[in-house]
Each structure stands twice: as structure tokens, then as C-alpha cells.
mmCIF file of all heavy atoms in Angstrom:
data_model
loop_
_atom_site.group_PDB
_atom_site.id
_atom_site.type_symbol
_atom_site.label_atom_id
_atom_site.label_comp_id
_atom_site.label_asym_id
_atom_site.label_seq_id
_atom_site.Cartn_x
_atom_site.Cartn_y
_atom_site.Cartn_z
ATOM 1 N N PRO B 1 10.429 3.018 3.466
ATOM 2 C CA PRO B 1 10.823 2.476 2.160
ATOM 3 C C PRO B 1 11.209 3.560 1.154
ATOM 4 O O PRO B 1 11.592 3.231 0.034
ATOM 5 C CB PRO B 1 9.570 1.725 1.705
ATOM 6 C CG PRO B 1 8.450 2.452 2.357
ATOM 7 C CD PRO B 1 8.976 2.934 3.683
ATOM 8 N N ARG B 2 11.061 4.824 1.533
ATOM 9 C CA ARG B 2 11.419 5.983 0.705
ATOM 10 C C ARG B 2 10.478 6.198 -0.473
ATOM 11 O O ARG B 2 10.709 7.086 -1.301
ATOM 12 C CB ARG B 2 12.852 5.885 0.187
ATOM 13 C CG ARG B 2 13.928 6.106 1.237
ATOM 14 C CD ARG B 2 15.295 6.239 0.589
ATOM 15 N NE ARG B 2 15.296 7.310 -0.380
ATOM 16 C CZ ARG B 2 15.846 7.217 -1.602
ATOM 17 N NH1 ARG B 2 16.404 6.095 -1.994
ATOM 18 N NH2 ARG B 2 15.829 8.252 -2.428
ATOM 19 N N THR B 3 9.433 5.420 -0.598
ATOM 20 C CA THR B 3 8.453 5.669 -1.646
ATOM 21 C C THR B 3 7.512 6.778 -1.192
ATOM 22 O O THR B 3 7.234 6.923 -0.002
ATOM 23 C CB THR B 3 7.650 4.399 -1.965
ATOM 24 O OG1 THR B 3 7.118 3.867 -0.752
ATOM 25 C CG2 THR B 3 8.537 3.362 -2.626
ATOM 26 N N PHE B 4 7.008 7.548 -2.143
ATOM 27 C CA PHE B 4 6.132 8.664 -1.804
ATOM 28 C C PHE B 4 4.842 8.166 -1.166
ATOM 29 O O PHE B 4 4.385 8.702 -0.156
ATOM 30 C CB PHE B 4 5.827 9.482 -3.059
ATOM 31 C CG PHE B 4 5.032 10.729 -2.793
ATOM 32 C CD1 PHE B 4 5.647 11.865 -2.304
ATOM 33 C CD2 PHE B 4 3.667 10.762 -3.023
ATOM 34 C CE1 PHE B 4 4.914 13.020 -2.045
ATOM 35 C CE2 PHE B 4 2.934 11.907 -2.779
ATOM 36 C CZ PHE B 4 3.555 13.040 -2.290
ATOM 37 N N PHE B 5 4.269 7.121 -1.731
ATOM 38 C CA PHE B 5 3.034 6.553 -1.187
ATOM 39 C C PHE B 5 3.372 5.329 -0.342
ATOM 40 O O PHE B 5 4.128 4.452 -0.779
ATOM 41 C CB PHE B 5 2.079 6.144 -2.316
ATOM 42 C CG PHE B 5 1.614 7.288 -3.161
ATOM 43 C CD1 PHE B 5 2.011 7.397 -4.480
ATOM 44 C CD2 PHE B 5 0.801 8.282 -2.638
ATOM 45 C CE1 PHE B 5 1.593 8.453 -5.269
ATOM 46 C CE2 PHE B 5 0.377 9.345 -3.415
ATOM 47 C CZ PHE B 5 0.775 9.430 -4.734
ATOM 48 N N ILE B 6 2.815 5.278 0.859
ATOM 49 C CA ILE B 6 3.029 4.147 1.750
ATOM 50 C C ILE B 6 1.701 3.686 2.328
ATOM 51 O O ILE B 6 0.742 4.454 2.398
ATOM 52 C CB ILE B 6 3.995 4.493 2.902
ATOM 53 C CG1 ILE B 6 3.451 5.669 3.721
ATOM 54 C CG2 ILE B 6 5.394 4.752 2.387
ATOM 55 C CD1 ILE B 6 4.243 5.951 4.978
ATOM 56 N N LYS B 7 1.659 2.425 2.745
ATOM 57 C CA LYS B 7 0.468 1.877 3.388
ATOM 58 C C LYS B 7 0.379 2.368 4.833
ATOM 59 O O LYS B 7 1.352 2.871 5.399
ATOM 60 C CB LYS B 7 0.522 0.348 3.397
ATOM 61 C CG LYS B 7 0.483 -0.294 2.032
ATOM 62 C CD LYS B 7 0.308 -1.801 2.166
ATOM 63 C CE LYS B 7 1.437 -2.424 2.952
ATOM 64 N NZ LYS B 7 1.309 -3.897 3.049
ATOM 65 N N THR B 8 -0.778 2.185 5.428
ATOM 66 C CA THR B 8 -0.957 2.439 6.857
ATOM 67 C C THR B 8 -0.405 1.251 7.629
ATOM 68 O O THR B 8 -0.865 0.122 7.448
ATOM 69 C CB THR B 8 -2.441 2.635 7.198
ATOM 70 O OG1 THR B 8 -2.994 3.653 6.354
ATOM 71 C CG2 THR B 8 -2.617 3.035 8.654
ATOM 72 N N VAL B 9 0.585 1.485 8.450
ATOM 73 C CA VAL B 9 1.183 0.398 9.221
ATOM 74 C C VAL B 9 0.213 -0.027 10.311
ATOM 75 O O VAL B 9 -0.275 0.802 11.088
ATOM 76 C CB VAL B 9 2.527 0.836 9.833
ATOM 77 C CG1 VAL B 9 3.061 -0.234 10.772
ATOM 78 C CG2 VAL B 9 3.534 1.130 8.728
ATOM 79 N N LYS B 10 -0.075 -1.325 10.374
ATOM 80 C CA LYS B 10 -0.989 -1.875 11.365
ATOM 81 C C LYS B 10 -0.349 -3.082 12.028
ATOM 82 O O LYS B 10 0.750 -3.502 11.651
ATOM 83 C CB LYS B 10 -2.317 -2.270 10.707
ATOM 84 C CG LYS B 10 -3.031 -1.117 10.007
ATOM 85 C CD LYS B 10 -4.296 -1.594 9.317
ATOM 86 C CE LYS B 10 -4.991 -0.446 8.586
ATOM 87 N NZ LYS B 10 -6.198 -0.899 7.849
ATOM 88 N N THR B 11 -1.048 -3.643 12.994
ATOM 89 C CA THR B 11 -0.520 -4.799 13.714
ATOM 90 C C THR B 11 -0.298 -5.976 12.786
ATOM 91 O O THR B 11 0.695 -6.696 12.888
ATOM 92 C CB THR B 11 -1.484 -5.204 14.849
ATOM 93 O OG1 THR B 11 -1.716 -4.077 15.695
ATOM 94 C CG2 THR B 11 -0.901 -6.342 15.669
ATOM 95 N N ILE B 12 -1.223 -6.188 11.848
ATOM 96 C CA ILE B 12 -1.113 -7.326 10.941
ATOM 97 C C ILE B 12 -0.485 -6.939 9.609
ATOM 98 O O ILE B 12 -0.328 -7.788 8.734
ATOM 99 C CB ILE B 12 -2.497 -7.945 10.693
ATOM 100 C CG1 ILE B 12 -3.452 -6.907 10.085
ATOM 101 C CG2 ILE B 12 -3.070 -8.519 11.973
ATOM 102 C CD1 ILE B 12 -4.803 -7.475 9.701
ATOM 103 N N SER B 13 -0.135 -5.690 9.409
ATOM 104 C CA SER B 13 0.482 -5.224 8.166
ATOM 105 C C SER B 13 1.594 -4.252 8.519
ATOM 106 O O SER B 13 1.389 -3.042 8.568
ATOM 107 C CB SER B 13 -0.579 -4.554 7.272
ATOM 108 O OG SER B 13 0.007 -4.069 6.082
ATOM 109 N N THR B 14 2.764 -4.799 8.767
ATOM 110 C CA THR B 14 3.880 -3.989 9.271
ATOM 111 C C THR B 14 4.800 -3.486 8.173
ATOM 112 O O THR B 14 5.678 -2.674 8.444
ATOM 113 C CB THR B 14 4.709 -4.805 10.270
ATOM 114 O OG1 THR B 14 5.182 -6.005 9.623
ATOM 115 C CG2 THR B 14 3.871 -5.196 11.481
ATOM 116 N N ASN B 15 4.613 -3.953 6.940
ATOM 117 C CA ASN B 15 5.453 -3.487 5.836
ATOM 118 C C ASN B 15 4.768 -2.302 5.166
ATOM 119 O O ASN B 15 3.697 -2.445 4.577
ATOM 120 C CB ASN B 15 5.667 -4.610 4.823
ATOM 121 C CG ASN B 15 6.580 -4.180 3.680
ATOM 122 O OD1 ASN B 15 7.193 -3.116 3.722
ATOM 123 N ND2 ASN B 15 6.674 -5.019 2.666
ATOM 124 N N PRO B 16 5.366 -1.097 5.235
ATOM 125 C CA PRO B 16 4.676 0.085 4.692
ATOM 126 C C PRO B 16 4.735 0.205 3.176
ATOM 127 O O PRO B 16 4.080 1.069 2.611
ATOM 128 C CB PRO B 16 5.421 1.252 5.364
ATOM 129 C CG PRO B 16 6.775 0.713 5.650
ATOM 130 C CD PRO B 16 6.620 -0.753 5.924
ATOM 131 N N ALA B 17 5.519 -0.634 2.512
ATOM 132 C CA ALA B 17 5.665 -0.511 1.060
ATOM 133 C C ALA B 17 4.493 -1.167 0.346
ATOM 134 O O ALA B 17 4.054 -2.263 0.710
ATOM 135 C CB ALA B 17 6.976 -1.142 0.612
ATOM 136 N N TYR B 18 3.980 -0.493 -0.667
ATOM 137 C CA TYR B 18 2.923 -1.067 -1.496
ATOM 138 C C TYR B 18 3.512 -2.091 -2.458
ATOM 139 O O TYR B 18 4.654 -1.970 -2.896
ATOM 140 C CB TYR B 18 2.229 0.024 -2.318
ATOM 141 C CG TYR B 18 1.131 0.759 -1.600
ATOM 142 C CD1 TYR B 18 1.260 2.111 -1.296
ATOM 143 C CD2 TYR B 18 -0.042 0.115 -1.244
ATOM 144 C CE1 TYR B 18 0.243 2.803 -0.645
ATOM 145 C CE2 TYR B 18 -1.066 0.800 -0.605
ATOM 146 C CZ TYR B 18 -0.919 2.133 -0.309
ATOM 147 O OH TYR B 18 -1.925 2.803 0.338
ATOM 148 N N GLU B 19 2.726 -3.109 -2.782
ATOM 149 C CA GLU B 19 3.037 -3.980 -3.909
ATOM 150 C C GLU B 19 1.837 -3.968 -4.848
ATOM 151 O O GLU B 19 0.873 -3.252 -4.604
ATOM 152 C CB GLU B 19 3.415 -5.389 -3.437
ATOM 153 C CG GLU B 19 2.506 -5.988 -2.385
ATOM 154 C CD GLU B 19 1.377 -6.778 -3.007
ATOM 155 O OE1 GLU B 19 1.477 -7.108 -4.184
ATOM 156 O OE2 GLU B 19 0.386 -7.042 -2.315
ATOM 157 N N GLN B 20 1.915 -4.723 -5.924
ATOM 158 C CA GLN B 20 0.947 -4.592 -7.004
ATOM 159 C C GLN B 20 -0.500 -4.721 -6.534
ATOM 160 O O GLN B 20 -1.342 -3.870 -6.840
ATOM 161 C CB GLN B 20 1.238 -5.644 -8.081
ATOM 162 C CG GLN B 20 0.260 -5.599 -9.260
ATOM 163 C CD GLN B 20 0.579 -6.646 -10.306
ATOM 164 O OE1 GLN B 20 1.560 -7.366 -10.189
ATOM 165 N NE2 GLN B 20 -0.240 -6.742 -11.319
ATOM 166 N N HIS B 21 -0.793 -5.748 -5.752
ATOM 167 C CA HIS B 21 -2.181 -6.009 -5.371
ATOM 168 C C HIS B 21 -2.677 -5.004 -4.319
ATOM 169 O O HIS B 21 -3.820 -4.553 -4.378
ATOM 170 C CB HIS B 21 -2.314 -7.436 -4.855
ATOM 171 C CG HIS B 21 -1.926 -8.478 -5.863
ATOM 172 N ND1 HIS B 21 -2.647 -8.706 -7.012
ATOM 173 C CD2 HIS B 21 -0.874 -9.347 -5.913
ATOM 174 C CE1 HIS B 21 -2.084 -9.661 -7.722
ATOM 175 N NE2 HIS B 21 -1.008 -10.071 -7.077
ATOM 176 N N THR B 22 -1.822 -4.651 -3.356
ATOM 177 C CA THR B 22 -2.265 -3.722 -2.313
ATOM 178 C C THR B 22 -2.473 -2.319 -2.867
ATOM 179 O O THR B 22 -3.378 -1.607 -2.423
ATOM 180 C CB THR B 22 -1.251 -3.686 -1.161
ATOM 181 O OG1 THR B 22 0.064 -3.406 -1.676
ATOM 182 C CG2 THR B 22 -1.214 -5.014 -0.433
ATOM 183 N N PHE B 23 -1.654 -1.910 -3.830
ATOM 184 C CA PHE B 23 -1.844 -0.581 -4.426
ATOM 185 C C PHE B 23 -3.141 -0.550 -5.241
ATOM 186 O O PHE B 23 -3.892 0.432 -5.205
ATOM 187 C CB PHE B 23 -0.650 -0.218 -5.303
ATOM 188 C CG PHE B 23 -0.618 1.230 -5.703
ATOM 189 C CD1 PHE B 23 -0.096 2.190 -4.847
ATOM 190 C CD2 PHE B 23 -1.117 1.651 -6.924
ATOM 191 C CE1 PHE B 23 -0.072 3.527 -5.211
ATOM 192 C CE2 PHE B 23 -1.096 2.981 -7.295
ATOM 193 C CZ PHE B 23 -0.570 3.922 -6.433
ATOM 194 N N TYR B 24 -3.394 -1.628 -5.972
ATOM 195 C CA TYR B 24 -4.637 -1.701 -6.738
ATOM 196 C C TYR B 24 -5.844 -1.633 -5.806
ATOM 197 O O TYR B 24 -6.817 -0.906 -6.079
ATOM 198 C CB TYR B 24 -4.665 -2.997 -7.553
ATOM 199 C CG TYR B 24 -5.969 -3.229 -8.285
ATOM 200 C CD1 TYR B 24 -6.189 -2.691 -9.549
ATOM 201 C CD2 TYR B 24 -6.985 -3.976 -7.707
ATOM 202 C CE1 TYR B 24 -7.382 -2.894 -10.223
ATOM 203 C CE2 TYR B 24 -8.185 -4.188 -8.369
ATOM 204 C CZ TYR B 24 -8.382 -3.649 -9.624
ATOM 205 O OH TYR B 24 -9.568 -3.839 -10.274
ATOM 206 N N GLU B 25 -5.792 -2.381 -4.697
ATOM 207 C CA GLU B 25 -6.908 -2.379 -3.757
ATOM 208 C C GLU B 25 -7.073 -1.015 -3.089
ATOM 209 O O GLU B 25 -8.198 -0.597 -2.790
ATOM 210 C CB GLU B 25 -6.707 -3.465 -2.704
ATOM 211 C CG GLU B 25 -6.938 -4.876 -3.225
ATOM 212 C CD GLU B 25 -8.334 -5.069 -3.803
ATOM 213 O OE1 GLU B 25 -9.289 -4.487 -3.248
ATOM 214 O OE2 GLU B 25 -8.465 -5.792 -4.809
ATOM 215 N N ALA B 26 -5.962 -0.326 -2.827
ATOM 216 C CA ALA B 26 -6.055 1.012 -2.233
ATOM 217 C C ALA B 26 -6.776 1.968 -3.179
ATOM 218 O O ALA B 26 -7.644 2.749 -2.763
ATOM 219 C CB ALA B 26 -4.657 1.538 -1.906
ATOM 220 N N TRP B 27 -6.432 1.912 -4.456
ATOM 221 C CA TRP B 27 -7.087 2.779 -5.445
ATOM 222 C C TRP B 27 -8.565 2.399 -5.586
ATOM 223 O O TRP B 27 -9.441 3.264 -5.646
ATOM 224 C CB TRP B 27 -6.387 2.653 -6.792
ATOM 225 C CG TRP B 27 -6.775 3.716 -7.767
ATOM 226 C CD1 TRP B 27 -7.948 3.822 -8.441
ATOM 227 C CD2 TRP B 27 -5.991 4.855 -8.144
ATOM 228 N NE1 TRP B 27 -7.945 4.938 -9.240
ATOM 229 C CE2 TRP B 27 -6.769 5.588 -9.079
ATOM 230 C CE3 TRP B 27 -4.730 5.307 -7.822
ATOM 231 C CZ2 TRP B 27 -6.291 6.747 -9.676
ATOM 232 C CZ3 TRP B 27 -4.266 6.466 -8.411
ATOM 233 C CH2 TRP B 27 -5.032 7.183 -9.319
ATOM 234 N N ARG B 28 -8.826 1.129 -5.626
ATOM 235 C CA ARG B 28 -10.201 0.653 -5.765
ATOM 236 C C ARG B 28 -11.056 1.094 -4.576
ATOM 237 O O ARG B 28 -12.219 1.474 -4.738
ATOM 238 C CB ARG B 28 -10.185 -0.874 -5.883
ATOM 239 C CG ARG B 28 -11.536 -1.515 -6.104
ATOM 240 C CD ARG B 28 -11.347 -3.025 -6.228
ATOM 241 N NE ARG B 28 -12.605 -3.730 -6.160
ATOM 242 C CZ ARG B 28 -13.386 -3.992 -7.199
ATOM 243 N NH1 ARG B 28 -13.015 -3.597 -8.402
ATOM 244 N NH2 ARG B 28 -14.516 -4.654 -7.053
ATOM 245 N N THR B 29 -10.468 1.089 -3.371
ATOM 246 C CA THR B 29 -11.192 1.541 -2.184
ATOM 247 C C THR B 29 -11.516 3.028 -2.273
ATOM 248 O O THR B 29 -12.596 3.466 -1.863
ATOM 249 C CB THR B 29 -10.355 1.257 -0.923
ATOM 250 O OG1 THR B 29 -10.125 -0.153 -0.821
ATOM 251 C CG2 THR B 29 -11.080 1.737 0.332
#
């Protein structure tokens, strides 16, 4: 997605781009 920060690609999460809720949860974790 060309963004500096990306999610960990997994079997159930194949889109590496963060969105509002997933980025918040990543920071919270």
C-alpha cells in the first residue's frame, strides 16, 4: 500500500493497510 506503517499480513487479515480502528488497536496493544 506504500504506507510506511503496515499491518502483519495473516490468513484472516490479508490487507496490509491500516485503517482507523486497526491503527488505534495497534497503538493500544
Side-chain angles (χ1 to χ4, degrees):
R2 288 190 57 224
T3 52
F4 185 79
F5 297 112
I6 59 172
K7 295 189 300 182
T8 306
V9 173
K10 301 177 181 177
T11 305
I12 59 175
S13 179
T14 58
N15 182 10
Y18 276 114
E19 46 91 16
Q20 179 180 357
H21 300 293
T22 53
F23 193 83
Y24 175 86
E25 287 302 323
W27 193 286
R28 183 179 168 88
T29 299

